[in-house]
Amino acid sequence: MKIFLQFMKPVLGISIAVLIVAVFIWRDQWMPLSDQKQPGEVNRAAAVEKQGDQSKASEQEKIILSDQAIANLGLKVKSELPETYWKTLQVPGMIVDRPGRSDQGVISPVDGVVEKMNYYPGDTVQPGEVLYTIRILSETLQQTQTNLFKDTQNIALAATKKKRLETTRGAIPEARIIEVANEIKRLQVAIKGYQHELLSRGFSHEQLQKISSGDFVRDLDILVPDRMSQGGMLKKPAVPKSTGKNSRPEAPVTFEVQECKVDLGQQVKTGEMLCLLANHRLLAIEGRAFRDETQLLERSVHEVWPVEVDFQESAASHWPAVKQRFLIEYLSNVVDPVNRTFAFRMSLENESRLVRQDGQTQVLWRFRPGQKVRLSIRVEELKNVFVLPADAVARDGAEAFVFTQNVNTFYRKPVRVLERDRRHTVIANDGSLTPGSFVVQGSAEQLNRMLKSSSGNDLPEGYHIHADGSLHKNEEEGK
């Protein structure tokens, strides 16, 4: 036995040394196995870690702001409910004069020299007022006045002669009386022709009577025509009749001298333009669309869909809201060969204000020809959606977010964007946003940047948050 033990001692020593060397060599394989936990311990650790991640994620989806920060950002909230939104086609447009109704030129009816100018560009005039006084230089009109005076005197002499011959009827041949009567008829026809020519040249009936008496007209007054307000061209909108005693009659239609074509002392010819009068009460909105958008506009005309017009007015303009309903009344059948677009028009009834200063009256129109507008043509109807301002939605890559408010706490909600234009963003009602939620109406991008840069629970120093989301100052801070 002693011999056996003596023999095994060296073998055991060598085996233990080999085992130690093997354990050291294969330590990378057996050491990770020693760190493994039991299944129950693994599940509990995973649950704790998941709960911590969820809590951290929930903290990262909200941001707490003080009342001063909310005021500085100018945050406004609104309770949002699903509504109907029209997907539109954005088309550029311009306000233009309505042909034959907005402008009218005043021409010179005679050859002459401009002797007097009573109004200048920017002045307002009314029908019947004198625009210009022209010294007549036309030899034809001078001769016409002379002939009118002569024939008027001749017809008076012929009438006296006829009366004298009729008193001696029977002593003279009847043919002489008939001859005098025919002469009177010829003179009457000639006088009527002269009067018609002078009336067409702008002479009045009172002036014709003066010419017949020998008082020739040397200066002709050019009046503001009143035919612009006839034929329904410049009808005022219907106003309910008032039964009170303080009802006032409608003010006469006023026109503006838009442009003067002649100067004082300038010689003009018959038919030459003197000035341009304008009344911008009835205007038109002209839009331009491409050929491939024809079907969309034709459908809008067929369905009688109104067009939304953005006049790009400032909020401080103090004009009332536009209550007109704009419908496409005309689609051009000609494509412009230069810009490859076609025109369509809608009627626009303008508004004005009268400004009186130093005895002068000026008409200030709300809309002016040449003013640019944006037109929204209805294309598709989207029902049961949320419509928010454009800056109420923040984008972060493919994700889109809105912020809801609970007192001082703002929560970020992921949403799905269906449509977006210059003013609105349309959100799907898929449950991500609860109807009636108080959604922040702007500064969403700034709130999203603040949320990403925060640690998830950044309370202002010296404040604490209540369960209802309100922020309160620590009582100890005020002592």
Side-chain angles (χ1 to χ4, degrees):
M1 187 66 181
K2 292 181 178 180
I3 297 174
F4 177 75
L5 293 174
Q6 291 177 355
F7 175 77
M8 290 299 298
K9 285 182 179 179
V11 174
L12 290 174
I14 295 173
S15 298
I16 294 172
V18 172
L19 180 62
I20 294 173
V21 172
V23 170
F24 178 77
I25 294 175
W26 284 287
R27 64 184 183 278
D28 294 336
Q29 283 73 23
W30 63 264
M31 288 182 67
L33 297 177
S34 64
D35 294 336
Q36 293 184 356
K37 300 179 180 179
Q38 296 297 325
E41 295 179 355
V42 172
N43 293 337
R44 286 194 298 272
V48 172
E49 183 178 0
K50 183 178 180 181
Q51 183 177 3
D53 293 341
Q54 291 178 352
S55 177
K56 183 178 181 181
S58 63
E59 291 292 336
Q60 291 179 348
E61 292 299 321
K62 70 177 182 179
I63 184 173
I64 302 173
L65 299 178
S66 63
D67 294 337
Q68 291 82 357
I70 296 175
N72 291 334
L73 292 175
L75 300 183
K76 297 181 180 180
V77 296
K78 178 184 176 183
S79 177
E80 294 293 342
L81 296 174
E83 56 182 296
T84 299
Y85 175 81
W86 281 93
K87 186 177 179 180
T88 59
L89 169 68
Q90 302 296 321
V91 176
M94 179 185 296
I95 298 178
V96 297
D97 287 318
R98 195 179 301 187
R101 298 194 177 187
S102 299
D103 298 338
Q104 179 175 339
V106 178
I107 63 173
S108 174
V110 298
D111 294 344
V113 175
V114 179
E115 193 175 59
K116 184 183 298 185
M117 294 177 60
N118 296 325
Y119 298 97
Y120 300 89
D123 294 341
T124 56
V125 294
Q126 296 180 358
E129 294 184 344
V130 180
L131 288 171
Y132 297 92
T133 300
I134 296 180
R135 174 62 60 89
I136 300 175
L137 299 180
S138 174
E139 295 181 359
T140 303
L141 286 182
Q142 298 291 355
Q143 186 63 38
T144 301
Q145 294 186 67
T146 302
N147 293 337
L148 177 60
F149 172 69
K150 288 182 178 179
D151 288 350
T152 302
Q153 298 301 318
N154 290 335
I155 199 173
L157 295 175
T160 303
K161 183 178 179 180
K162 180 184 177 183
K163 185 177 181 180
R164 187 178 66 253
L165 293 176
E166 287 177 348
T167 58
T168 59
R169 186 182 297 272
I172 59 175
E174 189 69 22
R176 292 188 60 185
I177 299 177
I178 297 175
E179 181 180 356
V180 175
N182 292 336
E183 180 67 17
I184 293 175
K185 292 181 180 179
R186 183 185 65 80
L187 292 173
Q188 289 176 344
V189 171
I191 290 174
K192 187 175 182 180
Y194 299 144
Q195 291 176 344
H196 177 73
E197 180 181 359
L198 295 176
L199 288 174
S200 63
R201 296 298 187 95
F203 287 73
S204 63
H205 291 280
E206 292 77 7
Q207 289 175 327
L208 294 183
Q209 293 178 0
K210 292 181 179 180
I211 295 172
S212 300
S213 61
D215 186 7
F216 291 173
V217 176
R218 296 177 176 83
D219 297 328
L220 182 63
D221 293 333
I222 309 300
L223 308 180
V224 178
D226 58 355
R227 59 180 178 272
M228 295 181 66
S229 59
Q230 297 177 358
M233 296 173 62
L234 291 173
K235 291 182 179 178
K236 286 185 173 292
V239 178
K241 294 183 178 180
S242 176
T243 57
K245 297 181 180 180
N246 297 328
S247 59
R248 295 178 296 179
E250 294 183 354
V253 179
T254 58
F255 307 100
E256 180 184 352
V257 180
Q258 183 168 322
E259 186 178 358
C260 289
K261 301 291 186 178
V262 296
D263 296 326
L264 190 65
Q266 179 177 339
Q267 184 176 354
V268 295
K269 295 183 179 180
T270 302
E272 185 175 349
M273 180 77 69
L274 297 177
C275 67
L276 187 65
L277 300 181
N279 185 291
H280 298 307
R281 173 172 290 278
L282 298 181
L283 298 174
I285 301 175
E286 182 178 276
R288 308 293 301 189
F290 290 100
R291 178 65 181 84
D292 55 357
E293 299 169 343
T294 305
Q295 294 182 352
L296 300 178
L297 270 75
E298 290 178 349
R299 183 184 179 188
S300 180
V301 174
H302 182 266
E303 299 291 342
V304 198
W305 287 341
V307 177
E308 183 180 354
V309 181
D310 181 9
F311 293 100
Q312 305 179 44
E313 290 184 314
S314 173
S317 60
H318 304 296
W319 288 100
V322 179
K323 299 182 180 180
Q324 301 180 50
R325 190 168 183 261
F326 300 101
L327 299 175
I328 299 177
E329 300 176 352
Y330 168 76
L331 281 176
S332 177
N333 295 316
V334 179
V335 177
D336 192 322
V338 178
N339 52 32
R340 310 303 301 170
T341 60
F342 66 95
F344 61 94
R345 284 200 298 268
M346 300 166 289
S347 299
L348 172 64
E349 186 172 349
N350 206 350
E351 302 175 31
S352 63
R353 292 173 178 168
L354 291 179
V355 177
R356 295 179 174 85
Q357 184 177 7
D358 297 334
Q360 300 293 330
T361 302
Q362 183 179 4
V363 181
L364 299 181
W365 295 100
R366 179 175 185 177
F367 307 118
R368 295 172 172 84
Q371 177 181 339
K372 299 289 185 178
V373 297
R374 290 190 180 97
L375 306 179
S376 300
I377 310 299
R378 291 187 176 183
V379 175
E380 182 183 356
E381 185 180 14
L382 302 178
K383 297 182 178 180
N384 193 27
V385 294
F386 295 102
V387 181
L388 303 176
D391 57 349
V393 180
R395 301 302 295 261
D396 189 359
E399 296 289 340
F401 304 98
V402 298
F403 286 85
T404 59
Q405 183 183 15
N406 181 18
V407 194
N408 293 89
T409 306
F410 295 84
Y411 297 91
R412 186 173 71 172
K413 303 287 185 180
V415 294
R416 181 163 65 95
V417 177
L418 299 178
E419 183 68 21
R420 185 166 187 150
D421 57 24
R422 188 179 62 87
R423 295 186 299 169
H424 303 101
T425 301
V426 183
I427 306 301
N429 186 15
D430 54 2
S432 58
L433 187 62
T434 305
S437 300
F438 289 90
V439 180
V440 180
Q441 300 296 299
S443 303
E445 294 287 354
Q446 189 169 358
L447 288 175
N448 191 46
R449 289 193 297 267
M450 296 170 61
L451 179 63
K452 292 169 64 176
S453 63
S454 67
S455 62
N457 192 19
D458 292 341
L459 284 175
E461 185 178 356
Y463 287 83
H464 64 277
I465 191 74
H466 282 193
D468 61 355
S470 60
L471 190 68
H472 295 272
K473 191 173 183 180
N474 297 333
E475 295 181 358
E476 298 179 357
E477 296 292 334
K479 296 182 181 179

